[in-house]
Amino acid sequence: MNGVDVGDENLLFPPRYYAKLLPVVMKHILAFFLVLTLPVTAAESYTIQLHRPSKPGAEFRVDLDGRMKTESKQKFGDTESGDTEQWQARLKGTVKIGKVNETGNPTELRITVDSFQLTEGKFTDEAVEKGGVLRARYVKDETEFEYLDVESGLGVPVREGNLKDALKLLFSLGGKTTDDKIFGTAQKQKVGSTWKIDPKSVAASAKEDKVIVDPKNVTGEMKITKAVKVAGADCLEMSGVFKVTGVKPPQRFPRNLRVVKSEMVGKFFTQLPVDLKAPRLHSRSEMAMEMEVNGPGGLRVSMRRQSTLIRKTMPLPAKP
């Protein structure tokens, strides 16, 4: 599963290191779009195609808002401590698809920034100045980001830290699994219809990131809530919810530590054009992951990570 695939029409998922377990889909309708209810009869059925393959050279205007909050607590005897870290990244600009894989998922993007703000606590900084260019590439199962000098084609890697984490939340590349395998359905569906997600496909996609998931521990459901018109396009509003318990992360814990709880819950929403060749226009995903670990002497450690990604995408006309 891919994390949010922005700038192209692909996956619903958030950041690869854990958002890949689910698609990136959403909940609020932003005032940016004029949304009108369409006259739809209960008898109308629609083909559900979540995956919209990317095409090299395609360009998109994007407006992205990503947020991350991590809370940790420790208790040992009568001593308790905790820490909270949170940030918000807001990016507006243009994304151009450079390369794609056999599935149609992008493996290289060029991002031209109009504005890119990173807020940490009470402080907000311009992460990249207006007109700056970033390059994202999928290399050896990882997404790497560079500050790009367009004339020379040379890039300087973005260092580890909140900026790189923010970019991983906003953009996700590569991967062989599509949302249709996990969250889709082969049967045509009507407004109000619901269907279950595929647990085996969730487990297979998680395995790409060396995360072990038992299909028996996966539950989730998709629903078409209504038909609407968004920016002149006929769309289906779709929402979903999922839960995965017993998640086994790739990190190995020392033998004297025992994981007693590890689960992930997600809520999502998207506006999917009825035209199967058109990209998704607006999406929102909310993810929460919780883990509890017990250690010797009554040590207890808990961690909760929450992420939100709101995406607005508008395809640009193809250049002659």
Side-chain angles (χ1 to χ4, degrees), residues 57-207:
E59 295 186 77
F60 301 84
R61 289 287 305 166
V62 296
D63 185 347
L64 312 174
D65 185 340
R67 308 176 191 193
M68 184 75 74
K69 182 178 181 180
T70 303
E71 299 173 283
S72 61
K73 296 181 180 180
Q74 298 183 36
K75 183 177 181 179
F76 187 73
D78 296 329
T79 303
E80 293 187 30
S81 61
D83 185 46
T84 299
E85 180 182 355
Q86 57 186 337
W87 50 258
Q88 178 180 9
R90 290 161 291 182
L91 186 151
K92 295 182 180 180
T94 304
V95 172
K96 184 175 182 179
I97 307 297
K99 299 177 182 179
V100 301
N101 62 15
E102 65 275 13
T103 311
N105 293 333
T107 56
E108 184 172 319
L109 300 176
R110 179 177 293 190
I111 306 146
T112 303
V113 174
D114 288 340
S115 64
F116 187 8
Q117 296 179 326
L118 183 62
T119 299
E120 300 174 82
K122 298 181 180 180
F123 302 97
T124 298
D125 295 315
E126 292 293 333
V128 177
E129 64 182 15
K130 179 179 174 61
V133 180
L134 296 167
R135 179 167 59 191
R137 294 191 290 187
Y138 189 65
V139 181
K140 295 182 179 179
D141 297 330
E142 293 289 340
T143 300
E144 299 295 337
F145 296 91
E146 300 173 306
Y147 302 100
L148 180 65
D149 181 86
V150 177
E151 291 186 5
S152 67
L154 299 177
V156 177
V158 175
R159 295 180 180 179
E160 296 292 337
N162 285 346
L163 175 57
K164 188 171 183 179
D165 290 342
L167 287 168
K168 286 184 176 181
L169 176 60
L170 300 180
F171 301 94
S172 181
L173 284 73
K176 297 180 181 180
T177 304
T178 70
D179 285 347
D180 286 309
K181 291 182 179 180
I182 302 168
F183 298 89
T185 173
Q187 285 73 43
K188 288 189 174 183
Q189 302 291 333
K190 302 175 183 179
V191 172
S193 295
T194 62
W195 62 93
K196 303 295 184 181
I197 67 173
D198 181 13
K200 292 184 179 180
S201 293
V202 173
S205 180
K207 192 174 181 180

